[in-house]
Amino acid sequence: MLVTVLGAGAGGGLPQWNCGCRNCRDARDGRLARMSQSSVAVSTDGRDWVVLNASPDIRDQIGGCPALYPQGLRGSPIRAVVLTNADVDHVAGLLTLREKTGFALFATAGVLAVLRDNPVFGVLDPALVGRHAITLDTAFVPAAGLTVTPFAVPGKVALYLEDGAGVDTEAMGEQTVGLCIATDRARLYYVPGCATVPDWLVARLADGDLLLFDGTVWDDAEMVATGTGTKTGARMGHVAMQGPAGSLARLAPLTGCRKVFVHLNNTNPALQPDGPERRQVAAAGWTIGQDGMEFRL
Ligand code: MLT
Ligand code: MN
Ligand code: ZN
């Protein structure tokens, strides 16, 4: 299996357009690598590709990835797009994929309903872009040789669907899924959004060769502490890296797979290559994802 991280950033990317935090300034000054928004491409043969989440940056992501160039006058090696939720950073790129080329779109019925209720997504010609409802814990095949199984992980509805008070940030259902992507030789788990790491999730991820996991925030309160926002990671539906309930500690039992953080928020101090947070991430056996990172499983 070939895996390319098209975008390692969370919503907003790095630098974020309106942010002057240390990471964003460093990215503008060339001291940190820029990150585009959250997306991954997978393939078994390098010819047919499946894109996991369509980020607002997909036009540049395709432009920077020769494997995704058209092979003829019109067309694309992208055979399918699979969505893990309806967040802006995961669906807005669908609007870019509207130029009369066919592909298959896979998402839960809940996420497809969000697209259906937003008429702008009608720019995807239904004669060319079939929308396929996927079922939790039921495998489907978006491209020959790739079997994908979606499963619910703790999470919430997209920000623009929150109805004010009482949003369940750890809901289990169709709004936030992880993906198990398997060939006959290898297994990738892709979980770019996850609010908590329960024991069952640790067990479920144990047979993977590669884990691409939610690395939004280092500390639950980092946006508050840095003055860049008022929300905690938990309120946004993202588990922190650090702390006893954080991903580093909770996923420590996974020793047989490569562990890489994706969906990294611009405020995350672990982006700093020489900082103490990065040392802890590395000591725990994790890698900080970057745009263009490639894996061969
Ligand atoms: C998230 O991952 O929490 C969302 O992408 C936030 C957003 O919609 O900006
Ligand atoms: Mn996001
Ligand atoms: Zn910033």
Side-chain angles (χ1 to χ4, degrees), residues 212-250:
L212 301 178
F213 193 79
D214 185 343
T216 307
V217 291
W218 163 259
D219 183 74
D220 190 50
E222 89 192 21
M223 285 175 52
V224 182
T226 56
T228 52
T230 55
K231 283 184 179 168
T232 61
R235 178 62 187 80
M236 297 189 296
H238 297 291
V239 64
M241 294 179 180
Q242 75 92 35
S247 51
L248 293 183
R250 294 290 300 146

Side-chain angles (χ1 to χ4, degrees), residues 184-262:
D184 50 12
R185 304 228 304 254
R187 195 173 284 117
L188 158 70
Y189 283 99
Y190 175 57
V191 187
C194 189
T196 63
V197 186
D199 288 343
W200 63 261
L201 181 57
V202 183
R204 180 148 201 169
L205 300 175
D207 61 357
D209 300 292
L210 172 63
L211 170 63
L212 301 178
F213 193 79
D214 185 343
T216 307
V217 291
W218 163 259
D219 183 74
D220 190 50
E222 89 192 21
M223 285 175 52
V224 182
T226 56
T228 52
T230 55
K231 283 184 179 168
T232 61
R235 178 62 187 80
M236 297 189 296
H238 297 291
V239 64
M241 294 179 180
Q242 75 92 35
S247 51
L248 293 183
R250 294 290 300 146
L251 295 171
L254 303 183
T255 53
C257 72
R258 179 114 195 245
K259 297 188 278 193
V260 180
F261 283 119
V262 292

